[in-house]
Amino acid sequence: MAAGTKALNSAAPELSPEAARALGHARMDIVIVGHVDHGKSTVIGRLLADTGSLPDGKLEAIRAFCARNARPFEYAFLLDALKDEQAQGITIDTARTFFKSAKRDYVIIDAPGHIEFLKNMVTGAARAEAAVLVIDAKEGIQENSKRHGYLLSMLGIRQIVVAVNKMDLVDYSRQAFEDIRDEYMAFLARIGAMPRFFVPIAAFPGENMVKPSEKMPWYKGPDLLSAVDAFEKAPSKNHQPFRMPVEDVYKFTAQGDDRRIVAGRVESGTLRVGDEVVFLPSGKRSKVQTIEGFNAAARTEVYAGTSTGVTLSTQVYLGRGEIMAKVGEPQPEVSNRIRVNIFWMGKSALRMGRDYFLKLGTSKVAVRLHHINYLIDASENGRGHDPDRVERHDVADCILQLRKPIAFDAISSLEGTGRFVLVDQYEIAGGGIIREALPADIADVEEGKESDLAYRTLWQAQPEKKGGVVFLTGTSSVLDEAAEILRKKWPVLGPLKSNELLPSLGEAAFHIATSGTTVFGRLEELDSFDIRSLAARIAPLSTLWIRPASEPPLEGVERLEILAFPAETKPQDLVKQIESLLPTLTGSPS
C-alpha cells in the first residue's frame, strides 16, 4: 500500500458529502475520459492496485480469471465488470469506484471512450467536479480526445489533468510527450479550456502513477496521484447568485387554504423569508412571505439543491419556465437570440430552417438554428466550413433564434442555468452551453415569413371577408364547458395545454378567420409574451381574450380586448356574454 492511502472496499455505498465531512474527509467526484483503447480503465485499475484500494482477493481473482481463460492479465478487468466489456475489451457504461488518499475521498467515474457511447460518457461526466483525460502516447490525439475535451468544457469541468499514457511504447520519449502536449494545448485553447497538468505515465507497468518514475528523469512535474490531489474543491453553490427555475404554481382551496405556492428546485444561492425576488423573463417582483415544504415544518431559509416552494407577499401571474432571482444580486440574461456551443448527437443533422425545442431548467421553447459561426472539427474530415448543418458528433459555435425570450446565464457566470439540451422529434439530440446573450429580435418570431406577410397585406384589402378570433385562456372548468357549448356553432381550436404549438394554432386561427368566420381557441397557460405573440400573428384581425378574474393580471397587454369573468359565472351565461361581444370584433359572426 502506498504511503498516505487507505483501502476502501469498492462494494461500500457512496458517501454523501455530509457523511464524508463527518469522517473528516472532503469528497471529490472525478471522471476518467479519452479515446477508445487509450487505457482509461487500465489507469484506474493500476491506480487502485497501487494505492491498496481494492477489496481483499480482488486482484488475485482477476489474475486467476485470466489464467483460466488463457488471456493476458489486464488491470482494466478490475473495472470492466460487464461480460460484453471483458469480451470486447471496451468500456460501454460508466463504472464508479472508490478510494482514499491522504487528502480526500474519491469517487472515480470510468466513462466509455467509443464514439457510439458518447451519451453514456456525458451522463458519467455530468456528475464530476474534475477530470483526467487519457491520450495514448503512441497513437496520439484522436477524434474522441478532442470531443471529450470539448464535452468537459461544455459540462463546466474546469479542472483537468491530461495523462499521456503508454509512454513505455515510445521508449519514454520526452519528444513524443511534448509533441502531444503542445498540439492538445493548442486545441483546448480554441474551446477555452486549460489543463492543470500534462502527466506522462505508463499505467500497465505503473510508471509515474503514485510516485515519480525513474524512467522519465526529464519530467519534473507531479505523478498522477499527486496531480489528482492538487484538484481544488469547487466553492459551494450556496455562495453563488440565487436561481430557482419555477416548476409550477400550486393553489389550494380546501379548508380555506388560499396559498399560491411557487415551487421549484434551488439551483444556486440561498433564499430567506423577506427577500425581495424578481422573476425573469417577465420581470415581475415580490417578496418571499413563507418558505414551504411537503409534509414539513415551515422554514426560514433554503439552500442550493433544495426542492421547495414559496408564497409571495403580492400575487403575480407566473408560469413554468420563469427563473426566480434575488433583487440586488447579479441577474440572469433575457433574450431570444443566443450564441452557443453545441454538441450534436441526433440521428439526423442539425439544420437551419428546421424547428427544434430548447430545454433549459424548466423552460421549453421552440428554437431554430439561425447561423453556424464555425465547426470545431474533431474528425478533421474537411467540413470545418460547412455553413448549413451540424452532423452527428460534431461540435459547433452557433447562433440560435428562440420563439420567445427566456432567462438564462452565460456559462462563464453560472453553470447550472447556462447549459441546455435540444430536442428533435421528442428525443434529446444535443446539448450545449450559452456563451453570450445577443440583442433580442422580436420581429422574426412574431411576424412570420415574408410570404405570409404578403398574403396578409393582400387579404387586408378585402374588408368584406374579415372575421375575428376569440381565445379562452386560463385553468377553469367554466372555460372548458363554455368551449364545448361554443363548439356546436363555431370552430374551436384546442384545448391546447402547452404553448409549444402556439405558432401553428395562431396561423390556423388566422386563415380560418379570413374566410369571415369567427374562430375560437381554448388555451390553458399563456403568459404576456404568448398573448402578444399570438395577437401579432393574427393581426390585423381583432382578438378577444376571455380569462378568469381570479387569476393575477397580465402585464403589457393593455391594448387588447380582455373579458375577465367572476368565478361564480355559469358556462351558459359566459357563452351569452361572449356572443354579445362578437359584433365588436371586425366582421360578423357566421
Side-chain angles (χ1 to χ4, degrees):
M1 182 182 298
T5 62
K6 288 178 62 178
L8 179 65
N9 192 321
S10 64
E14 178 182 349
L15 292 173
S16 68
E18 293 77 10
R21 285 193 294 270
L23 293 173
H25 287 270
R27 194 197 81 175
M28 177 174 280
D29 293 7
I30 62 174
V31 64
I32 312 293
V33 299
H35 194 74
V36 64
D37 290 335
H38 279 205
K40 301 178 305 301
S41 296
T42 301
V43 168
I44 302 173
R46 186 76 206 211
L47 188 62
L48 295 177
D50 287 357
T51 59
S53 297
L54 293 171
D56 293 340
K58 177 73 170 179
L59 186 60
E60 292 74 16
I62 294 296
R63 290 187 185 277
F65 166 82
C66 293
R68 287 195 308 269
N69 292 275
R71 300 182 63 179
F73 169 75
E74 294 283 352
Y75 283 98
F77 289 165
L78 295 169
L79 281 298
D80 291 338
L82 296 177
K83 291 183 179 180
D84 285 346
E85 292 177 337
Q86 289 192 5
Q88 299 182 35
I90 63 172
T91 302
I92 296 174
D93 207 347
T94 56
R96 307 180 79 185
T97 53
F98 308 83
F99 78 99
K100 289 183 179 180
S101 73
K103 184 173 183 178
R104 62 168 70 97
D105 302 334
Y106 288 99
V107 177
I108 298 184
I109 305 164
D110 180 21
H114 197 280
I115 192 170
E116 294 302 319
F117 307 119
L118 280 174
K119 287 186 178 181
N120 302 36
M121 177 265 166
V122 172
T123 301
R127 298 191 293 266
E129 302 171 65
V132 176
L133 194 150
V134 180
I135 297 177
D136 187 320
K138 187 174 183 179
E139 280 195 10
I141 299 166
Q142 301 295 312
E143 287 184 31
N144 273 3
S145 305
K146 295 182 178 181
R147 289 193 179 96
H148 288 179
Y150 170 74
L151 287 171
L152 294 177
S153 174
M154 184 189 79
L155 292 168
I157 299 175
R158 300 289 180 261
Q159 301 189 91
I160 302 172
V161 165
V162 178
V164 182
N165 190 26
K166 304 185 183 181
M167 288 296 295
D168 52 319
L169 300 184
V170 294
D171 297 326
Y172 301 99
S173 166
R174 178 175 184 173
Q175 188 63 49
F177 168 73
E178 291 181 347
D179 287 346
I180 290 173
R181 180 197 63 191
D182 294 346
E183 180 184 349
Y184 201 61
M185 282 188 68
F187 168 76
L188 292 179
R190 292 172 53 199
I191 59 175
M194 186 55 62
R196 294 283 300 275
F197 301 103
F198 278 78
V199 182
I201 62 172
F204 189 78
E207 297 295 331
N208 212 31
M209 294 294 294
V210 297
K211 62 181 181 181
S213 170
E214 295 179 356
K215 296 185 178 181
M216 291 179 282
W218 47 265
Y219 174 71
K220 305 303 181 183
D223 57 62
L224 183 60
L225 181 60
S226 299
V228 168
D229 271 344
F231 288 141
E232 299 175 358
K233 287 288 293 180
S236 170
K237 288 187 176 182
N238 293 335
H239 302 306
Q240 296 176 341
F242 179 77
R243 300 288 187 268
M244 189 185 87
V246 174
E247 182 77 26
D248 207 344
V249 179
Y250 299 100
K251 184 176 181 181
F252 303 94
T253 57
Q255 300 177 349
D257 188 349
D258 60 353
R259 293 175 298 167
R260 292 175 63 91
I261 299 177
V262 182
R265 181 180 183 276
V266 179
E267 187 66 39
S268 61
T270 60
L271 184 72
R272 297 176 179 85
V273 171
D275 284 344
E276 186 176 359
V277 294
V278 58
F279 296 87
L280 296 169
S282 68
K284 297 172 183 176
R285 294 191 177 203
S286 189
K287 283 189 177 181
V288 176
Q289 182 168 299
T290 64
I291 297 176
E292 308 285 342
F294 182 72
N295 283 343
R299 307 174 63 174
T300 59
E301 187 174 17
V302 287
Y303 306 91
T306 305
S307 294
T308 188
V310 301
T311 63
L312 304 173
S313 59
T314 56
Q315 299 303 321
V316 293
Y317 178 82
L318 299 170
R320 177 181 172 89
E322 298 264 4
I323 291 182
M324 180 164 67
K326 283 166 61 173
V327 174
E329 291 187 341
Q331 300 294 292
E333 304 275 4
V334 174
S335 183
N336 66 348
R337 293 178 69 240
I338 50 178
R339 178 183 163 229
V340 302
N341 286 170
I342 290 175
F343 181 75
W344 189 249
M345 294 181 285
K347 295 177 182 177
S348 57
L350 173 66
R351 295 180 180 275
M352 290 187 284
R354 281 198 58 192
D355 290 324
Y356 303 90
F357 286 104
L358 180 144
K359 297 179 70 174
L360 188 155
T362 57
S363 64
K364 182 178 181 181
V365 61
V367 63
R368 286 190 174 190
L369 176 62
H370 180 72
H371 181 70
I372 300 173
N373 295 327
Y374 58 88
L375 295 178
I376 301 171
D377 191 15
S379 63
E380 298 183 356
N381 58 12
R383 291 200 320 97
H385 301 288
D386 195 339
D388 65 348
R389 71 184 189 278
V390 181
E391 297 286 359
R392 190 179 189 190
H393 300 144
D394 276 350
V395 176
D397 186 292
C398 306
I399 295 174
L400 298 182
Q401 176 76 59
L402 286 62
R403 190 187 69 82
K404 66 177 182 178
I406 62 169
F408 56 87
D409 288 284
I411 192 70
S412 58
S413 301
L414 278 178
E415 296 169 3
T417 44
R419 295 196 290 251
F420 63 89
V421 297
L422 291 178
V423 179
D424 182 21
Q425 300 296 323
Y426 304 102
E427 290 186 355
I428 293 178
I433 55 177
I434 300 177
R435 290 296 185 188
E436 61 177 326
L438 300 176
D441 186 351
I442 302 298
D444 287 348
V445 178
E446 292 189 346
E447 293 182 2
K449 301 177 181 178
E450 291 184 4
S451 59
D452 190 56
L453 290 174
Y455 172 79
R456 293 167 188 264
T457 302
L458 179 64
W459 168 83
Q460 195 173 6
Q462 303 174 6
E464 71 279 1
K465 291 189 176 182
K466 294 179 182 177
V469 183
V470 181
F471 288 110
L472 286 66
T473 69
T475 304
S476 168
S477 59
V478 174
L479 289 174
D480 293 333
E481 294 180 40
E484 292 307 311
I485 296 173
L486 290 166
R487 200 182 300 273
K488 297 176 181 178
K489 298 179 63 177
W490 289 283
V492 178
L493 305 177
L496 193 66
K497 299 180 182 293
S498 167
N499 63 12
E500 296 175 7
L501 299 177
L502 281 182
S504 299
L505 183 140
E507 293 303 314
F510 172 80
H511 287 289
I512 293 174
T514 55
S515 67
T517 300
T518 297
V519 60
F520 292 80
R522 176 68 182 102
L523 310 169
E524 288 200 0
E525 295 184 5
L526 294 182
D527 58 22
S528 299
F529 182 90
D530 291 328
I531 290 179
R532 293 197 304 270
S533 178
L534 264 179
R537 285 183 176 276
I538 294 168
L541 286 172
S542 298
T543 53
L544 175 63
W545 304 83
I546 315 297
R547 61 192 310 269
S550 59
E551 293 191 353
L554 297 170
E555 298 176 357
V557 294
E558 293 80 5
R559 295 183 179 182
L560 300 178
E561 189 72 26
I562 298 177
L563 168 64
F565 64 90
E568 63 273 12
T569 304
K570 295 180 179 180
Q572 298 89 337
D573 295 336
L574 180 60
V575 169
K576 291 179 181 178
Q577 193 172 3
I578 293 172
E579 289 177 334
S580 69
L581 294 173
L582 291 181
T584 64
L585 295 176
T586 302
S588 300
S590 58

